[in-house]
Structures are given as structure tokens and as C-alpha cells.
Amino acid sequence: MEFMDTHHNFFSATPKIFNSISFHAKNGYSDLGRVYRSPRRNFTGGDYRQSVMPIFNCIASVNGASSDSVERVSVLVIGGGGREHALCYALKRSPSCDSIFCAPGNAGISNSGDATCIENLDISNSSEVIAFCHEWGVQLVVIGPEAPLVAGLANDLVKAGIPTFGPSSEAAALEGSKDFMKRLCDKYAIPTAKYRTFTDPLAAKAYIKSQGAPIVVKADGLASGKGVIVAMSINEAYEAVESMLVENAFGSAGCRVIVEEFLEGEEASFFALVDGENAIPLESAQDHKRVGDGDTGPNTGGMGAYSPAPVLTRELQSVVMDTIIMPTVKGMAEEGCKFVGVLYAGLMIEKQSKLPKLIEYNVRFGDPECQVLMARLESDLAQVLLMACRGELSGVTLDWSPGSAMVVVMASEGYPGRYKKGTLILNLEEAEGVAPSVKVFHAGTALDSEGNFVAMGGRVLGVMAKGVDLEEARDRAYEGVEQVKWPGGFYRRDIGWRALQKKQYYVSE
């Protein structure tokens, strides 16, 4: 594995005053009623509607520094899902953040005022994104989805001198190719499941027969969270191989498959911010991948999440940092492709050993875990991400709200298979009115001709709530869910069951 390091650190003229970071808004957003209305502009062929940029009048403290010492920034968030809505929500609370753009964003992000959505900006066109940043004085780009990262958007932005939170295309191979990730684990002694990689279906089936079931079959490339089959029988594993290597179910993403040993235990999500050489852990979170109650049915992109996750004790988090995260960061640097961004480690806490093994890496915030993490984050996200871009995370600590947060994902009927678009969603304001701690994140919504929200995706909403403990967060989240009027949607009724170890939580139909 030889890759050229294309993700460099950029330093502004602002003196380095941060060794640890703790930001607090003393006065809150006292001027949120004021907005700056910029003129309509034609931009690289895109007719942008009138831009509304919130003006934040907050006083921050950074190790005792006054707000005048804090570098103020305008941020562009790339993406349009629930993860990006959560990032915009956290950035809006960042005292040093002057304005937030989100491209393309979605109707819910725009309607909430959490960011100015730039619907016509082509995020697959690096030149257009760079021109927009120069035109609007964007000093930080945060790339949410994996596809632009794998395609090299971060490479182009960094080359243009724009600080970008997100790895280069070379470093994004940690998610873009499971075979790459597995080979890195082999080389740097990172604990993971035993595996073999195949392009020949007959060879894959022979290996499966020799190993027995249960066994796991994975598409090598990006498959929107659907390219993993946990086969409970040999025939089911054979069918997965046929689907990927013969029937081309996932296109080029499935032209290679990884056949992996089945690990028994509890899954958990671990996130760390990385600046190329240093890494700092985020709070723990855990999601529910299966579509149905009791963790049944096919895998999805995530049907709900909570933070903190009791399975990830402080001791276990230290083990993950020492045996998985830091060896990965150092290994990537040695391979010539330093990683800058967030490492999302999907872990299995093995039932017998009680120790973590790496299942897979994502090179961006997980969704829906990002929603509960951003709800609990109290540090200035804009400054933290800038420091990651500049290689300045050493010694940084983050502040988190006490208690717990939970999000329940509402999805279109039929997801993760075929689903209907355009179904009407009502009562979202009522859902957020259940309690001050309830927030509805939009992942796949649009507005119809009458100004009503309609579903345009598989996972559509994330109803998030905070509480003094996980039980209170769960109760508030489901109270919010119950307010939503959406006959075309569904949700799991047992989010958090592993942590709560109590009866499943059911709400009335």
C-alpha cells in the first residue's frame, strides 16, 4: 500500500492559543432575530435564492481567552441528510461560527434555520464548490457523506487552500474498500475478524463451506450500508456471493467480496477526531442496524441510536484507543496517506473475551449516532474541526452535556427495500413541542406545493431527545414520535433495549 499524502495542514495567521478547548456561550444567541439578507446572485450557472445568514452574538471563552481572540468562521457543510442536519445544529450553537451553509441541504434544515441551504451547488463538481467558498468567504468545509470523500473532494479543497474536515480519497479507502481496511489491520496488528477476499464466486463458496455458518459476506465497496449479509446458513452465504459477484447487485462495489468470521457479542460505535497524527475520542454511542424490533430483519443505515453507550466503559474506550484507533492513525501516516477527519469504528465487543474487535471503519460521522453526539456536544464544534484540519488536536478535551440522548429514526414503509416517495408528514412542530430537549432532524424531506413536508427518502426523520438518564431520553423521544402524523412511515419501538435491559417500549398506533 503506497499512497501519496495529499492532505496537508493549513495554518492561519491567528496565533495558536489552544492547548485544551472549552467554549461556553454566556449570553446565548441574543441576536438570532437579526439576519443579514444578501442579494440574489447567479453563481457558476446556479441561480441561488436569497441567502439568509444568522448573525451570532455570543461570548466565548477558550482557556480564559476573550471572544475577540477566537477565530470566527463561516462554514460550508456538504450533504443533505440527518447527519448533516445534526452538524449544522451543532455549528449553529458554536460561538465562533458566523454563518453556516449546507449544500444541498434539505427542506427541514432550511426550515429550522439551522443553516442556509444551497440547493443548486453541485457538490460533485470540486471547481464549483471551491468557487462558492471563495465567493462567500467560507473558511471551513465539513464533508458529511462518504461518496464525495472517496471521490476526492477533500483533496481538491485542500489543494485550493480551504481547510477541510474530511480525509483525502486515499485515506477514505478505509471505508471505500473493506479489503484495504483488512490489509491495514493485518499489517499493523489491529484486532479484527478473520477473513478472506474473493473475486471468484466458486472460490468464495468453497471457503464458506470450509468455514461453516454463521458467516459474514461483505461487498468490498460502498453500498449505502446494505452490502453486509450476516448469513445464518451456508446456503444464505452462497446466495449473498451470487448476488454480489454474479448478479452484480451492488455494481462495482460488489466486484470483490470479503468473507469474514462471525463474531458473537454486542456491537458498538466508537468515534475519534483525527488530525493526521493525533486522535481524541468522542463520547460513546450505539445504534440499531436491523430494521425490526428485537434486532430482526435486514441491516439498514441505522434505525436509532443513544449516547452514552453503557457497553463502552471508560476502560474499554482506552483499550479501543490504544489497540485500534491509534495504530490505525499511525499506520495510515506510515503508508503515506495521513487521515484527517473522523474515524468511526464499528466494533464488536466479543462475548467471551469482552474485548473489542474492529468490524469496519467509516470515514465520516455515523448517522444516526451523529445526531445524539451533536446534541450532547457543548464545545465549539467549528473551532474543534479547524484544529483537526491544522494538526492541533494534541491535548484537546471536549465538553459534553450530562445525562443521555436518544434518537428514533422514522423511515418510509418498505425501507430498506423499495419505498414510496411523496407521502405527507404532519405535526413536526407538535413533536418538538413535547419538551425543550426534543429536536427533529430531517434526513429525507422536501416541501410540496402547499408547503407541507413530504418524505423523499428511506430514512426520513430522526426524533431526538435528551434526558437526565437514558430512560427519560427514550420516553421523551417516543412521545415526540407519537405526535408525528405520517401514515406512510414506520419506526422501531425498542431503541435502547440493550442498554435499558427492560421490556420493549411500545407506543400506541
Side-chain angles (χ1 to χ4, degrees):
M1 293 179 289
E2 295 182 359
F3 298 104
M4 181 171 61
D5 182 9
T6 57
H7 211 317
H8 306 290
N9 295 326
F10 284 85
F11 298 85
S12 72
T14 305
K16 181 178 178 181
I17 60 172
F18 312 111
N19 288 319
S20 64
I21 190 164
S22 177
F23 299 94
H24 304 280
K26 294 182 179 178
N27 295 335
Y29 296 110
S30 57
D31 283 351
L32 275 180
R34 294 165 42 202
V35 296
Y36 168 70
R37 301 186 182 277
S38 63
R40 181 187 298 272
R41 299 194 182 198
N42 289 322
F43 181 80
T44 60
D47 184 15
Y48 292 96
R49 57 185 172 77
Q50 193 173 55
S51 177
V52 181
M53 300 192 298
I55 304 297
F56 301 103
N57 186 25
C58 298
I59 300 176
S61 64
V62 186
N63 288 350
S66 71
S67 60
D68 293 337
S69 303
V70 179
E71 181 180 1
R72 303 187 66 79
V73 294
S74 293
V75 183
L76 170 63
V77 176
I78 299 292
R83 167 184 49 230
E84 288 75 37
H85 193 174
L87 290 168
C88 291
Y89 175 70
L91 287 165
K92 181 180 176 180
R93 305 194 323 271
S94 296
S96 67
C97 196
D98 275 335
S99 56
I100 309 147
F101 300 101
C102 187
N106 63 47
I109 295 173
S110 178
N111 189 71
S112 67
D114 289 327
T116 299
C117 291
I118 312 299
E119 300 172 9
N120 297 326
L121 181 59
D122 183 2
I123 62 174
S124 66
N125 186 325
S126 295
S127 297
E128 188 168 331
V129 176
I130 291 167
F132 178 87
C133 291
H134 289 158
E135 175 77 9
W136 291 94
V138 170
Q139 297 113 324
L140 172 64
V141 176
V142 181
I143 302 176
E146 62 273 23
L149 293 168
V150 173
L153 178 58
N155 301 56
D156 296 335
L157 288 166
V158 169
K159 186 176 179 180
I162 300 167
T164 302
F165 185 78
S168 66
S169 59
E170 293 82 6
L174 277 174
E175 178 172 359
S177 170
K178 293 178 179 64
D179 178 67
F180 174 93
M181 184 273 287
K182 286 288 195 177
R183 288 188 289 117
L184 188 86
C185 289
D186 284 347
K187 187 171 182 178
Y188 294 97
I190 298 164
T192 188
K194 182 177 69 173
Y195 79 103
R196 288 277 300 276
T197 300
F198 298 94
T199 57
D200 179 1
L202 294 178
K205 290 178 181 180
Y207 180 73
I208 289 167
K209 185 176 181 180
S210 72
Q211 298 300 305
I215 199 165
V216 182
V217 181
K218 298 180 177 180
D220 178 57
L222 300 177
S224 301
K226 303 180 186 70
V228 177
I229 306 297
V230 180
M232 302 310 293
S233 69
I234 289 178
N235 283 337
E236 189 179 356
Y238 286 172
E239 290 172 4
V241 169
E242 283 284 323
S243 173
M244 295 177 193
L245 291 181
V246 179
E247 298 170 9
N248 203 30
F250 297 107
S252 60
C255 65
R256 287 189 297 185
V257 299
I258 286 78
V259 180
E260 190 176 85
E261 74 170 313
F262 175 81
L263 298 177
E264 188 176 3
E266 187 170 353
E267 290 190 43
S269 303
F270 189 91
F271 297 85
L273 302 183
V274 183
D275 68 5
E277 296 181 358
N278 308 293
I280 58 172
L282 301 183
E283 272 286 86
S284 63
Q286 191 165 19
D287 76 336
H288 295 259
K289 290 294 186 191
R290 300 280 189 160
V291 72
D293 289 353
D295 288 336
T296 58
N299 277 327
T300 72
M303 294 299 296
Y306 52 92
S307 174
V311 66
L312 279 171
T313 63
R314 293 298 177 189
E315 293 77 14
L316 201 54
Q317 290 181 54
S318 295
V319 172
V320 174
M321 286 295 293
D322 291 342
T323 66
I324 296 175
I325 298 298
M326 288 313 301
T328 300
V329 173
K330 293 176 181 177
M332 292 295 283
E334 288 187 27
E335 296 298 326
C337 49
K338 287 185 177 182
F339 187 95
V340 175
V342 62
L343 268 180
Y344 163 16
L347 305 173
M348 181 65 76
I349 313 303
E350 283 200 285
K351 186 175 181 178
Q352 290 188 338
S353 69
K354 308 297 183 185
L355 293 175
K357 281 189 175 181
L358 178 66
I359 299 174
E360 64 180 4
Y361 267 130
N362 292 326
V363 297
R364 34 69 186 183
F365 284 103
D367 188 0
E369 297 99 324
C370 185
Q371 298 174 35
V372 289
L373 289 173
M374 292 302 102
R376 293 190 58 214
L377 182 67
E378 293 189 341
S379 296
D380 187 317
L381 180 63
Q383 290 299 317
V384 173
L385 299 187
L386 270 176
M387 294 168 74
C389 295
R390 295 170 177 164
E392 299 174 356
L393 285 181
S394 178
V396 170
T397 57
L398 301 176
D399 290 338
W400 301 90
S401 66
S404 298
M406 179 181 286
V407 63
V408 178
V409 169
M410 302 187 73
S412 296
E413 285 287 357
Y415 175 81
R418 294 176 63 88
Y419 54 85
K420 184 179 179 181
K421 294 184 178 182
T423 54
L424 185 65
I425 305 171
L426 299 174
N427 279 28
L428 295 184
E429 288 186 7
E430 287 80 355
E432 289 193 330
V434 164
S437 67
V438 176
K439 171 73 175 178
V440 177
F441 292 111
H442 290 243
T445 61
L447 295 176
D448 65 13
S449 59
E450 298 180 359
N452 296 312
F453 284 109
V454 293
M456 296 303 292
R459 289 182 299 160
V460 176
L461 300 170
V463 182
M464 188 282 305
K466 296 198 294 183
V468 295
D469 55 25
L470 190 57
E471 188 171 4
E472 183 177 88
R474 176 200 63 184
D475 291 347
R476 288 177 175 174
Y478 276 107
E479 286 170 13
V481 167
E482 196 170 22
Q483 291 296 317
V484 178
K485 304 304 179 186
W486 181 24
F490 78 99
Y491 52 91
R492 280 184 58 165
R493 294 168 168 83
D494 63 346
I495 302 302
W497 72 270
R498 287 183 179 275
L500 290 165
Q501 292 295 305
K502 293 182 179 179
K503 66 179 180 179
Q504 294 183 9
Y505 186 88
Y506 286 91
V507 297
S508 60
E509 293 285 356

